[in-house]
Amino acid sequence: MNRQLVHEKILIVDDEESVRSVLLNHLNSEGPQCVGSPNALDALNKMEQERFSLVISDVMMPGMSGMELLRLVKRKDPETAFIMITGLMDINTAVDSLRIGACDFITKPFELPAVRRAVDRALEQRRLAIRNRFYREELKRKIRERTFELNEALRDVEESYKITLEALVTALDAREHETLAHSQRVREYTLTLAEALGLKYDDLIQTGRGALLHDVGKIGVKDSILLKPGKLNEEEWTEMRKHPQIGYNILRSIEFLAPAAEIVLCHQERWDGRGYPNGLAGTEIPLGARIFAVVDTMDAMTSDRPYRQALSFEAAFEEIRSCSGTQFDPKVTEAFLNIPVGRWKAIHDSVNKSHKTQGCFDLICPTSTAFL
Ligand SMILES: [Fe+2]
């Protein structure tokens, strides 16, 4: 006997004892074990006790009909195969039974080899359906497992990105104090303006990183110049102006920071082409760098300097407005000026507050941790 048949059982439901025993004798002789039932209710009781792979049922029976039994069987276990036994002339019932879920019908009087073939087909169909279900469930399980693994790996990558960013900003801050707070503020400002200009998620991430790391090249500028309290002479300025290129050189080889490196390289360029290091003009300058230039000016003006107190945001607004089209991209300037002064002040205060209370890189950017 086929190993698969060992666990398969057939329930034969017919009120005519003679029909039942012919079927039982024939099907029991080879193949799955068969059990007989004289009516639908008895069949349902038996199905409560054990699982049947196939039900072969007469249509016309006292009490519950074969059609009703078919409906109940399919509702309870859609994988149970069902063959209906109908009268020769009852083709409509046969079609209806197929529509409800029977896999085949046998017409009375039947020939036993035809019954055998129908039973084999029905059981094979059921096995196939079960194998497909197992396959789908296994596939779903594997997808869930792989998705989980992938998310874990992505979390690890994000964590290492965060650590790299922290290391770079902290390294610069160690040399030039106050850089950390400035970098965090300009990143917040840049993200706010970039969002207002409609930048999409990936570009926001890169623009935010570019803003955060814009001055990382100052790591390569001599202390005597970087920390000089007084004004720089021309030669010193030449050295200082190398910092965008140095920053670019540091970042471009770090794959996840390569797009942000472009912003670092261009953060001192001007709309009118009078910036450095390459004198780019207009839209030759990456949009992220054009956005950064505006908010960097605001942050410089609204921060205390050794030689002056912080200016008001309103004064910074006027200065930026007056430099639209020369230092700054007019469209970026317009978007900037459309954001109320109060919003910029709120960002300023919130970053400064978390910088003071946390004193570390973590948690400093409550509004933009998603863009690390
Ligand atoms: Fe700079």
Side-chain angles (χ1 to χ4, degrees), residues 246-279:
I246 299 170
Y248 176 76
N249 293 347
I250 293 171
L251 301 185
R252 70 177 168 183
S253 55
I254 304 171
E255 198 181 330
F256 85 99
L257 291 175
E262 297 292 332
I263 297 170
V264 172
L265 179 65
C266 301
H267 79 273
Q268 296 287 1
E269 300 288 1
R270 290 171 51 114
W271 181 253
D272 58 11
R274 292 174 51 229
Y276 63 91
N278 294 314

Side-chain angles (χ1 to χ4, degrees), residues 192-257:
T192 302
L193 186 48
E195 270 190 303
L197 282 159
L199 266 71
K200 296 286 173 281
Y201 185 77
D202 284 353
D203 292 329
L204 283 175
I205 289 176
Q206 297 303 341
T207 306
R209 287 173 183 162
L212 185 72
L213 299 172
H214 68 281
D215 270 345
V216 75
K218 286 185 178 172
I219 290 173
V221 176
K222 284 186 230 162
D223 276 358
S224 58
I225 297 171
L226 187 65
L227 308 176
K228 185 174 174 181
K231 283 192 171 179
L232 301 183
N233 62 36
E234 198 45 46
E235 197 182 327
E236 289 164 339
W237 263 119
T238 306
E239 278 303 302
M240 185 63 118
R241 286 195 180 110
K242 289 179 183 170
H243 79 272
Q245 185 67 52
I246 299 170
Y248 176 76
N249 293 347
I250 293 171
L251 301 185
R252 70 177 168 183
S253 55
I254 304 171
E255 198 181 330
F256 85 99
L257 291 175

Side-chain angles (χ1 to χ4, degrees), residues 68-270:
E68 193 52 30
L69 176 64
L70 167 62
R71 280 194 191 90
L72 293 173
V73 166
K74 284 288 161 185
R75 200 178 302 158
K76 187 169 179 288
D77 179 5
E79 279 177 355
T80 307
F82 202 106
I83 295 176
M84 195 65 88
I85 305 172
T86 67
L88 187 57
M89 304 306 290
D90 207 359
I91 190 68
N92 287 339
T93 309
V95 171
D96 281 350
S97 70
L98 292 182
R99 199 177 299 135
I100 296 169
C103 55
D104 209 344
F105 61 87
I106 303 166
T107 49
K108 281 181 187 171
F110 45 74
E111 288 180 4
L112 289 172
V115 174
R116 162 64 60 198
R117 284 195 297 276
V119 166
D120 287 347
R121 269 199 310 271
L123 290 175
E124 187 50 37
Q125 240 177 53
R126 176 176 177 273
R127 285 177 213 130
L128 203 66
I130 291 173
R131 272 202 296 273
N132 278 343
R133 176 167 58 77
F134 281 151
Y135 175 73
R136 279 197 308 274
E137 283 168 359
E138 181 60 12
L139 202 63
K140 273 190 203 163
R141 194 188 60 75
K142 276 191 177 149
I143 289 172
R144 270 199 304 273
E145 210 173 273
R146 296 285 179 276
T147 308
F148 179 77
E149 285 169 7
L150 191 64
N151 283 337
E152 287 287 293
L154 281 175
R155 258 194 293 279
D156 287 350
V157 169
E158 277 170 18
E159 188 56 25
S160 67
Y161 284 1
K162 190 165 160 261
I163 291 168
T164 308
L165 289 174
E166 285 178 20
L168 286 165
V169 180
T170 310
L172 177 59
D173 193 59
R175 295 208 47 216
E176 191 190 29
H177 296 298
E178 290 306 309
T179 299
L180 186 54
H182 162 66
S183 301
Q184 288 158 1
R185 280 194 307 271
V186 289
R187 177 173 70 164
E188 294 292 327
Y189 295 149
T190 299
L191 286 172
T192 302
L193 186 48
E195 270 190 303
L197 282 159
L199 266 71
K200 296 286 173 281
Y201 185 77
D202 284 353
D203 292 329
L204 283 175
I205 289 176
Q206 297 303 341
T207 306
R209 287 173 183 162
L212 185 72
L213 299 172
H214 68 281
D215 270 345
V216 75
K218 286 185 178 172
I219 290 173
V221 176
K222 284 186 230 162
D223 276 358
S224 58
I225 297 171
L226 187 65
L227 308 176
K228 185 174 174 181
K231 283 192 171 179
L232 301 183
N233 62 36
E234 198 45 46
E235 197 182 327
E236 289 164 339
W237 263 119
T238 306
E239 278 303 302
M240 185 63 118
R241 286 195 180 110
K242 289 179 183 170
H243 79 272
Q245 185 67 52
I246 299 170
Y248 176 76
N249 293 347
I250 293 171
L251 301 185
R252 70 177 168 183
S253 55
I254 304 171
E255 198 181 330
F256 85 99
L257 291 175
E262 297 292 332
I263 297 170
V264 172
L265 179 65
C266 301
H267 79 273
Q268 296 287 1
E269 300 288 1
R270 290 171 51 114

